[in-house]
């Protein structure tokens, strides 16, 4: 069962501070786009943008974020 195999589910799980977790999350989004801007694809991505703005009900989920 799952309760017996919990240690397998914890493989490579590391404890991160809130700041380092946020940085790693942002870097993974940029990496997914090859480090390039999602709009022009020719400049290095320096920011993360919401596809659907949070002010209009957008979320902070990865699917709503692009570099």
């Amino acid at each position: 069962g799952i309760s017996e195999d919990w240690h397998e589910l914890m493989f490579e799980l590391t404890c991160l501070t809130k700041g380092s977790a946020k940085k790693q999350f942002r870097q993974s989004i940029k990496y997914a786009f090859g480090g390039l801007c999602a709009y022009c694809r020719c400049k290095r991505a320096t920011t993360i943008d919401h596809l659907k703005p949070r002010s209009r009900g957008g979320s902070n989920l990865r699917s709503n974020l692009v570099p």
Side-chain angles (χ1 to χ4, degrees):
I2 292 177
S3 61
E4 296 90 30
D5 299 325
W6 67 270
H7 60 281
E8 291 179 16
L9 300 173
M10 301 284 285
F11 181 72
E12 291 188 32
L13 183 65
T14 57
C15 293
L16 301 170
T17 64
K18 184 177 179 179
S20 63
K22 183 177 180 178
K23 183 177 180 180
Q24 189 173 1
F25 179 66
R26 293 171 62 86
Q27 287 176 339
S28 70
I29 293 170
K30 291 178 186 178
Y31 178 80
F33 283 80
L36 299 175
C37 172
Y39 301 110
C40 70
R41 303 294 289 171
C42 63
K43 294 183 183 177
R44 186 172 74 86
T46 57
T47 62
I48 302 290
D49 293 333
H50 290 84
L51 293 171
K52 182 176 182 181
R54 294 196 62 216
S55 62
R56 294 190 180 154
S59 70
N60 281 329
L61 295 176
R62 185 178 182 138
S63 59
N64 190 42
L65 299 170
V66 293

